[in-house]
Amino acid sequence: MRAYSGWVDEGFGGVADVFARNFEEFPELGAATTVFVGGRKVVELWGGVADEGSGRGWERDTVVPVFSCAKGLVSVCAHLLAQEGRLDLDAPVSRYWPEFGRYGKEAITCRMVLGHRAGVPALDGVLTFEEIADWAPVIRAVEEQQPLWEPDTAYEYHGHVFGFLIGEVIRRITGHTPGAYFRRAVGDPLGLRAWIGLPGAEMDGRARLVEAEGRPGMPGPEHLLTRIVTMNGALVFPGLDEPHGWNDPALLGMELLGMELPGAGATASASGLAGLYAAAVTGIEGRRRLLAPETVTDAVREVSSGKGWLGFDMGARWGSGFLLDSPAFRPMLGERSFGNDGAGGQFAFGDDEFGVGFAYVANRMIGHGDARASRLVAALRECLGS
């Protein structure tokens, strides 16, 4: 008896084989993967347990927190606005948000933020969970922040500030917070099961996260990496089941505190994420593609790579808002691939050369760069003959 449900089109059985082996060879709990090719779904697989405590099984539409895959939702919105002529990614942020242009941030552009080069990866201001949920206090703290380095001279991952900064630009242009704008412009029209701010009606059916044994912990509370990930300790990580941890409905939910964490707080199904990228590169549901070829060309131009400001080189390559094909970190399909991964091992990307939208999600958190998704991508690459 196979350990998963779903189906694959002829020629994509290799993806199903690897999906099954992931359950045999890793401490997989529940997971799903979806692939679109040419705007048509060719892989839809799910299996395992969504809630270890109750034993509730993973279903076709199960959603799970996908952490920094959220950056893909926000970045698609930014590129849509640029494509419409409403946002110039190379103009100063202060053109759209005048109060931002102070304390050495006057020349920072959206592209610098999208490429993690703005110099504001973390905030000096210590905010409470309630203040983060209220949005405006975070925006005021961003306005008061001084860059840690001269903008555009170095890069370092902008974990949460990325989402609030680009998200506020989106809000200034559209009048909607990024989660609300994503649903209005993309999610609702296409019926995508992906949210920044999960509706209350979806709470009970979500998958609950579980830490894999031996997963590396965070450095001390004063370390910049810990400050980036936890918003100076206001968000508990890992601590999944603690208040303000990633199984807490108050952290995930739009109807509880109105919470949006646009840098790292999306909740989605595999089909929702894969559908987003398929919509971006080929179109789905009979609609034209969201991002024109020239928009994708702009997005996949390398902006940052190599050693970051903290001195580490993880092998990641960054475009404007997206992780690019990074053979040493997250291999994809080629030069036109773009996406984002999440702290638990989740991963989604699109590629308009191959016409692919791919996503893998899971609730057993192994970590950035773990092999589960990469094995599925390698199998997909073989199925495509690339």
Side-chain angles (χ1 to χ4, degrees):
M1 181 178 177
R2 67 182 189 179
Y4 62 88
S5 299
W7 54 271
V8 297
D9 269 12
E10 184 177 356
F12 291 91
V15 177
D17 293 341
V18 171
F19 187 73
R21 289 204 302 272
N22 277 354
F23 278 88
E24 299 168 359
E25 299 171 12
F26 291 87
E28 198 76 283
L29 180 60
T33 190
T34 302
V35 180
F36 288 78
V37 177
R40 186 173 61 87
K41 194 178 292 184
V42 299
V43 175
E44 181 87 297
L45 302 170
W46 66 93
V49 175
D51 186 337
E52 190 174 42
S54 68
R56 172 168 51 87
W58 198 291
E59 299 179 357
R60 178 176 182 172
D61 289 332
T62 294
V63 298
V64 64
V66 293
F67 297 93
S68 285
C69 292
K71 292 179 173 67
L73 280 65
V74 173
S75 297
V76 165
C77 290
H79 282 282
L80 278 174
L81 291 171
Q83 186 172 271
E84 294 168 0
R86 302 171 70 185
L87 171 61
D88 181 347
L89 298 180
D90 295 305
V93 170
S94 59
R95 173 185 293 183
Y96 310 97
W97 176 6
E99 300 89 342
F100 176 83
R102 300 182 292 175
Y103 309 117
K105 303 192 300 299
E106 293 84 353
I108 291 175
T109 65
C110 286
R111 193 169 318 268
M112 292 178 199
V113 182
L114 291 168
H116 302 276
R117 305 183 65 84
V120 288
L123 300 176
D124 294 332
V126 177
L127 300 164
T128 66
F129 178 79
E130 290 72 21
E131 286 175 323
I132 293 171
D134 191 38
W135 186 270
V138 182
I139 301 311
R140 289 194 294 270
V142 172
E143 292 170 356
E144 297 297 320
Q145 183 66 37
Q146 296 183 21
L148 297 185
W149 63 82
E150 183 180 347
D152 209 30
T153 63
Y155 92 97
E156 191 59 65
Y157 191 63
H158 285 47
H160 284 286
V161 175
F162 176 105
F164 283 105
L165 213 164
I166 296 298
E168 179 65 8
V169 172
I170 291 171
R171 192 185 73 82
R172 297 284 176 127
I173 293 171
T174 69
H176 299 281
T177 54
Y181 180 70
F182 171 77
R183 291 306 307 178
R184 182 171 180 265
V186 180
D188 287 341
L190 294 175
L192 300 178
R193 291 183 59 73
W195 294 269
I196 299 171
L198 189 65
E202 298 287 342
M203 281 292 172
D204 290 344
R206 77 191 189 282
R208 294 180 63 84
L209 298 166
V210 175
E211 284 280 345
E213 291 185 13
R215 187 170 183 268
M218 297 294 296
E222 298 305 316
H223 195 282
L224 180 62
L225 179 59
T226 302
R227 291 173 54 211
I228 289 171
V229 170
T230 67
M231 288 287 281
N232 290 338
L235 310 175
V236 178
F237 186 88
L240 300 173
D241 292 309
E242 299 178 35
H244 310 160
W246 290 90
N247 283 328
D248 184 351
L251 188 146
L252 299 176
M254 192 64 186
E255 294 181 14
L256 300 166
L257 296 174
M259 189 82 166
E260 284 193 22
L261 286 174
T267 306
S269 69
S271 185
L273 285 178
L276 169 64
Y277 283 100
V281 301
T282 64
I284 59 173
E285 303 295 335
R287 296 170 180 261
R288 67 179 183 180
R289 59 187 286 179
L290 292 175
L291 302 182
E294 56 269 26
T295 302
V296 173
T297 297
D298 186 56
V300 300
R301 179 173 58 84
E302 183 180 297
V303 175
S304 300
S305 63
K307 189 178 294 186
W309 189 71
L310 286 173
F312 303 106
D313 183 355
M314 302 297 291
R317 300 172 55 244
W318 297 98
S320 295
F322 300 102
L323 183 66
L324 306 181
D325 183 41
S326 303
F329 180 70
R330 276 292 188 202
M332 302 184 212
L333 296 179
E335 294 182 357
R336 302 285 292 183
S337 296
F338 62 100
N340 271 288
D341 67 351
Q346 304 90 349
F347 181 45
F349 74 92
D351 187 302
D352 66 352
E353 179 181 355
F354 292 92
V356 163
F358 167 92
Y360 162 80
V361 300
N363 59 347
R364 177 83 76 184
M365 295 182 62
I366 295 179
H368 276 297
D370 80 71
R372 294 171 294 174
S374 295
R375 286 157 50 112
L376 290 166
V377 174
L380 173 60
R381 189 182 305 113
E382 187 171 332
C383 293
L384 293 169
S386 60

